[in-house]
Amino acid sequence: MKSINLLSLSQAHASLGPDEYKSFKGHYEIDIDDNEINDVKILINEMFSILSFINIFNDFYVGYKIQHISKEFDLLRFGSNFILNIEVKRESTEERIKNQLTRNKYYLHHINKVIHNYCFVAASKTLYQLGESGDIEIVPLSSLIQLLTSQNLIKIDSPDSLFNPSDYLVSPFNSTGKFLAGQYFLTGQQETIKNQITKNITSSSPSVVTLTGAAGTGKTLLTYDIVKSRMETMKTVVVHCGQLNDGHQRLINSGWNIVSIRDFRNYDLTNVDLVVVDETQRIYENQFDNLVVEAASKNTHCVFSYDRQQTLSRSEAHANIEGKINSILGAYKYSLSDKIRTNKEIANFIKVLFDNKRNNIAVSNCGNIDFDYFTDSSNVKNYISLISSEGWEVLRLTPSQYNNEHHESYSEITSKNSHRVIGQEFDNVAVVIDEYFSYGVDGKLIYTSRTYYDSVKMLFQNITRTRKKLKLIIIENRQILNRCLSVMK
């Protein structure tokens, strides 16, 4: 995205034809409609009437969205001494203005500790500022202009380079301290669903709620945020359908009641107000049936959080727990659809990697995806040790408890396996694709060596843990290598 002079944008909108103006906006990667630009023009005209210096309109980023979460800022200007953010609205309320500017400050303060946040309401030509105390106040436009004249502008290739996803993509498991301290925000969709679920689980009669969401939609954060918000008023237990990870243990040490599904068999729900089942797609059918009956008999509210795509064994896929959940009469059903965690470059790459007939998806080459190619698996084991020490989280397939499997020959036993990383996320993820991965006649990725768990689903689980960078370590598989090279041209 390129910065632009706001006067230039305003005059282009006023004078160019529709196709010319569209091309002009496209050059700067600006996505702003006519109503929005008209409101911005009111601000520009008001400012120009006070000070007709063209430099105060220079180097603005218009409608910038943080790449990983689509958080949008109307007008951004970066300086070495401070960052300036101006939201422009036709009309708004003071409460909504305060909430938005508070969120904006949260996302921007990781870049510079000094943030000046404003909101201009075009209908009334009123300028609001978020103060140090967290309250908003009406200020004269001259105060904004004075800041613009004193800002030491910095040149950047793109704002994307300033935002580190690990600063604001908070995970209950990998950023437990931030999560417990409430140092995060939910998206608008997450907030809406949270409010609806809260009404369901605080009603007098017991309710059954389902929450679904694909990888990257923030399902885990929302699930655990709902629990955190109810812990003081409701006796709550979280049932995790899998092995507990280090993040679970940190939450338990902080007073959370979390149990693995394997330890839930004889759990007494007497006096439990809310049971939240995380990764429900992995629960056994008899465990699910028993839990539903037990919860109903004890008037306990149930929340089932799951992603049907994230099954790891064939038995889990065939169990059709989703069908059982959907058969519960009166269940409240909610689904997250907005991607907030997945890097768009990596998300598109995953789609074309797992289906070699999907050639209509553009994969931008922003340097977040890399490949290595080896023919000797013994070299791979040493290479895994090397990059693990350099900050890469090398995720391996989960081996069978009963038989030796080929992928164990190159895997590092200290690396986390697919079952250990459910619900977690990491900045830099590396995975190995060996010679037994290939494409079927339908174009879908398959695995031809015998494994107890579904290797393609495990690879998908591992890759979708990525927040920022992905590395593929390819062993003697030219078909996969050529596919990667062809889509990353």
Side-chain angles (χ1 to χ4, degrees):
M1 187 178 199
K2 297 180 176 68
S3 63
I4 192 171
N5 184 287
L6 293 183
L7 275 177
S8 172
L9 177 62
S10 171
Q11 292 172 16
H13 176 260
S15 61
L16 298 179
D19 290 340
E20 292 174 310
Y21 177 62
K22 183 178 179 180
S23 296
F24 181 82
K25 286 196 303 178
H27 174 74
Y28 288 94
E29 300 179 59
I30 292 172
D31 183 15
I32 185 172
D33 62 32
D34 285 344
N35 290 330
E36 292 170 330
I37 188 61
N38 285 331
D39 293 337
V40 172
K41 286 163 81 171
I42 294 173
L43 171 63
I44 293 171
N45 292 336
E46 291 296 305
M47 292 169 60
F48 198 79
S49 68
I50 298 173
L51 184 66
S52 56
F53 284 4
I54 195 169
N55 63 308
I56 66 172
F57 301 101
N58 212 35
D59 278 328
F60 275 92
Y61 291 89
V62 179
Y64 172 71
K65 294 180 181 179
I66 299 178
Q67 183 182 27
H68 300 267
I69 61 175
S70 297
K71 166 61 185 172
E72 184 173 355
F73 303 89
D74 288 347
L75 302 175
L76 272 181
R77 201 170 187 245
F78 297 96
S80 59
N81 49 345
F82 59 82
I83 296 174
L84 183 69
N85 164 231
I86 310 171
E87 296 299 313
V88 181
K89 308 294 179 189
R90 171 57 55 91
E91 295 179 323
S92 192
T93 65
E94 290 193 355
E95 181 181 2
R96 293 175 67 182
I97 291 171
K98 178 180 177 180
N99 288 340
Q100 183 174 25
L101 295 185
T102 301
R103 286 172 180 257
N104 290 3
K105 181 179 180 181
Y106 165 76
Y107 288 110
L108 293 171
H109 90 278
H110 296 289
I111 303 172
N112 193 315
K113 298 304 179 185
V114 182
I115 312 293
H116 293 287
N117 281 291
Y118 291 88
C119 178
F120 179 74
V121 179
S124 61
K125 298 181 180 178
T126 305
L127 183 67
Y128 293 88
Q129 182 179 18
L130 181 71
E132 287 297 320
S133 65
D135 294 322
I136 60 168
E137 57 182 337
I138 297 176
V139 296
L141 204 57
S142 58
S143 65
L144 170 60
I145 293 173
Q146 185 175 359
L147 272 178
L148 288 168
T149 60
S150 64
Q151 190 174 23
N152 300 323
L153 294 175
I154 57 174
K155 296 291 184 180
I156 55 176
D157 292 332
S158 167
D160 290 342
S161 62
L162 301 177
F163 291 91
N164 182 355
S166 56
D167 287 335
Y168 47 82
L169 291 176
V170 172
S171 161
F173 308 140
N174 304 100
S175 316
T176 311
K178 288 184 177 181
F179 172 73
L180 290 173
Q183 296 175 359
Y184 62 92
F185 281 103
L186 301 179
T187 65
Q189 185 186 47
Q190 287 175 319
E191 286 279 11
T192 298
I193 292 177
K194 176 185 175 180
N195 292 337
Q196 293 169 333
I197 290 177
T198 300
K199 290 180 182 178
N200 301 147
I201 62 178
T202 53
S203 62
S204 56
S205 56
S207 59
V208 174
V209 177
T210 69
L211 173 62
T212 62
T217 55
K219 174 178 58 65
T220 300
L221 176 61
L222 177 56
T223 299
Y224 281 77
D225 175 77
I226 290 171
V227 175
K228 184 158 74 78
S229 69
R230 306 313 310 166
M231 284 176 59
E232 291 186 4
T233 57
M234 303 175 74
K235 185 177 180 183
T236 303
V237 58
V238 178
V239 182
H240 178 70
C241 298
Q243 305 172 35
L244 300 187
N245 57 47
D246 294 341
H248 284 123
Q249 193 57 56
R250 288 191 289 269
L251 291 173
I252 292 170
N253 294 341
S254 298
W256 284 56
N257 188 8
I258 303 175
V259 296
S260 172
I261 186 63
R262 70 168 67 180
D263 301 321
F264 193 70
R265 183 179 305 168
N266 300 314
Y267 198 92
D268 185 4
L269 290 181
T270 302
N271 299 323
V272 173
D273 302 305
L274 173 65
V275 56
V276 175
V277 184
D278 189 26
E279 305 294 342
T280 312
Q281 76 277 2
R282 304 195 59 239
I283 198 173
Y284 292 153
E285 291 181 86
N286 66 312
Q287 292 173 328
F288 178 80
D289 294 337
N290 292 339
L291 191 153
V292 170
V293 171
E294 173 75 1
S297 68
K298 300 295 173 61
N299 290 324
T300 301
H301 296 281
C302 291
V303 174
F304 296 105
S305 176
Y306 67 98
D307 173 10
R308 61 187 178 88
Q309 299 289 342
Q310 297 281 352
T311 53
L312 296 181
S313 69
R314 292 164 185 82
S315 61
E316 291 171 1
H318 294 153
N320 191 23
I321 293 300
E322 184 177 44
K324 281 183 167 289
I325 294 174
N326 290 336
S327 67
I328 299 175
L329 295 177
Y332 300 95
K333 301 174 184 177
Y334 304 99
S335 179
L336 287 164
S337 57
D338 296 343
K339 293 279 187 178
I340 65 169
R341 172 166 56 82
T342 308
N343 179 317
K344 184 178 290 186
E345 177 189 0
I346 292 174
N348 287 341
F349 175 76
I350 291 171
K351 292 173 184 175
V352 298
L353 174 65
F354 281 75
D355 186 345
N356 72 353
K357 292 190 176 181
R358 296 190 71 170
N359 296 314
N360 59 338
I361 298 175
V363 181
S364 57
N365 191 349
C366 300
N368 293 316
I369 302 169
D370 195 14
F371 326 110
D372 292 300
Y373 185 77
F374 294 92
T375 57
D376 189 332
S377 59
S378 64
N379 296 148
V380 170
K381 199 158 190 174
N382 292 331
Y383 184 66
I384 288 173
S385 297
L386 171 66
I387 65 173
S388 295
S389 66
E390 296 176 344
W392 289 90
E393 196 70 51
V394 185
L395 305 182
R396 63 188 175 104
L397 307 182
T398 305
S400 168
Q401 298 180 35
Y402 312 105
N403 302 301
N404 290 328
E405 296 174 345
H406 172 72
H407 60 88
E408 295 180 79
S409 65
Y410 54 76
S411 296
E412 178 59 58
I413 195 169
T414 57
S415 299
K416 295 180 176 68
N417 64 44
S418 304
H419 285 73
R420 293 289 295 173
V421 297
I422 292 172
Q424 298 190 68
E425 54 196 48
F426 309 93
D427 279 354
N428 306 314
V429 169
V431 297
V432 179
I433 297 182
D434 64 34
E435 62 270 34
Y436 291 104
F437 282 98
S438 62
Y439 293 103
V441 293
D442 61 353
K444 300 293 192 298
L445 195 66
I446 60 175
Y447 194 72
T448 55
S449 182
R450 183 177 178 180
T451 54
Y452 180 80
Y453 297 107
D454 189 319
S455 295
V456 174
K457 286 181 177 290
M458 287 192 290
L459 179 65
F460 181 79
Q461 167 75 225
N462 293 351
I463 285 183
T464 55
R465 301 304 93 204
T466 310
R467 280 199 280 210
K468 190 174 182 180
K469 290 183 178 292
L470 173 66
K471 181 189 289 289
L472 301 188
I473 304 168
I474 302 170
I475 304 177
E476 209 169 356
N477 194 325
R478 293 168 63 183
Q479 184 186 33
I480 298 295
L481 176 65
N482 287 328
R483 175 60 174 167
C484 293
L485 292 174
S486 68
V487 300
M488 292 299 294
K489 285 183 179 179

